[in-house]
Amino acid sequence: MTIAVVDYGSGNLRSAAKAFERAVAETGAGGPVEVTADAERVRRADRIVLPGQGAFADCMRGLAAVPGMVEAIGEAVLRRGVPFFGICVGMQLMASRGLEHGTHDGLGWIPGEVVPLEPADPSLKIPQMGWNDLVLDRPDHPVLAGLPPGAHAYFVHSYRYAVADPGHLLAHVDYGGLVTAVIGRDNMVGAQFHPEKSQSTGLTLIANFLRWRP
């Protein structure tokens, strides 16, 4: 099983790849992890991981700038059902649109908008930076298997994913209001937090993704 970590100049690629390599080594699930900007390699992969950090529009432009990459990911994920994992802004790119520095179209895979994080408690800082406790909305989802209620995850973000369909919300956190933490539908999942920085929670999530047969 090949695992493609999509390289589109977003940064944070090696740390994400290392987390997947560690999960492969510890669980025996999965196979080679490859960081690649080659659309054909991504198209042929058995698992696709899209990391991301920075602004929504910059990441979307960066992804679109890699020759054939948006088309390759779309064909693999939407047509062939290849399991897909979006991390942080990589998750947000699945939205219909992002409202950071203007309105920008996303991939449109899971309906919703990426909107400013506006906690009801004015003492809470933006960006949200640090650990928070997950509330599992869909604890039966295979990618959340084995996570205890209140599992800790590490966040760094200023915008949140407002899903249009509550059924796509797998987990959330409270940060002066509900903040989407994990989303999913069909063969796609995404995490707003950084699994590679979230210790046992992150490794469990990654291992579950590698074993997942949607």
Side-chain angles (χ1 to χ4, degrees), residues 22-110:
R22 179 178 172 189
V24 169
E26 291 188 0
T27 66
V33 179
E34 181 179 23
V35 176
T36 181
D38 185 328
E40 285 307 310
R41 289 181 181 272
V42 172
R43 192 191 306 272
R44 295 193 301 265
D46 301 300
R47 295 283 187 279
I48 297 173
V49 181
L50 185 68
Q53 62 182 21
F56 181 99
D58 291 342
C59 287
M60 197 67 214
R61 276 194 296 268
L63 187 63
V66 181
M69 188 61 80
V70 171
E71 294 79 7
I73 296 174
E75 180 181 324
V77 176
L78 301 179
R79 295 183 189 174
R80 290 178 32 236
V82 172
F84 174 91
F85 193 155
I87 297 174
C88 196
V89 182
M91 176 194 89
Q92 294 181 355
L93 294 184
M94 288 193 278
S96 308
R97 62 181 187 167
L99 306 183
E100 186 173 2
H101 308 310
T103 301
H104 308 278
D105 288 340
L107 294 170
W109 291 355
I110 297 183

Side-chain angles (χ1 to χ4, degrees), residues 8-214:
Y8 61 107
S10 171
N12 205 39
L13 298 171
R14 279 310 314 162
S15 58
K18 285 180 180 177
F20 276 81
E21 288 165 356
R22 179 178 172 189
V24 169
E26 291 188 0
T27 66
V33 179
E34 181 179 23
V35 176
T36 181
D38 185 328
E40 285 307 310
R41 289 181 181 272
V42 172
R43 192 191 306 272
R44 295 193 301 265
D46 301 300
R47 295 283 187 279
I48 297 173
V49 181
L50 185 68
Q53 62 182 21
F56 181 99
D58 291 342
C59 287
M60 197 67 214
R61 276 194 296 268
L63 187 63
V66 181
M69 188 61 80
V70 171
E71 294 79 7
I73 296 174
E75 180 181 324
V77 176
L78 301 179
R79 295 183 189 174
R80 290 178 32 236
V82 172
F84 174 91
F85 193 155
I87 297 174
C88 196
V89 182
M91 176 194 89
Q92 294 181 355
L93 294 184
M94 288 193 278
S96 308
R97 62 181 187 167
L99 306 183
E100 186 173 2
H101 308 310
T103 301
H104 308 278
D105 288 340
L107 294 170
W109 291 355
I110 297 183
E113 294 184 334
V114 178
V115 300
L117 192 58
E118 296 175 333
D121 182 348
S123 70
L124 294 174
K125 294 180 179 180
I126 304 296
Q128 177 187 2
M129 186 179 298
W131 296 89
N132 207 325
D133 297 342
L134 297 180
V135 178
L136 305 182
D137 299 279
R138 292 269 309 279
D140 59 326
H141 193 284
V143 172
L144 301 181
L147 287 181
H152 298 303
Y154 188 83
F155 292 79
V156 184
H157 66 119
S158 302
Y159 283 74
R160 65 179 182 86
Y161 200 134
V163 292
D165 181 348
H168 295 150
L169 181 67
L170 305 187
H172 72 274
V173 296
D174 183 359
Y175 194 74
L178 185 150
V179 175
T180 298
V182 185
I183 61 171
R185 80 170 179 88
D186 304 330
N187 54 311
M188 312 167 203
V189 292
Q192 179 62 65
F193 58 89
H194 287 272
E196 73 277 11
K197 297 179 181 178
S198 296
Q199 298 177 358
S200 62
T201 296
L203 283 172
T204 297
L205 200 74
I206 291 169
N208 287 341
F209 171 74
L210 295 177
R211 297 189 188 100
W212 189 29
R213 298 288 186 272

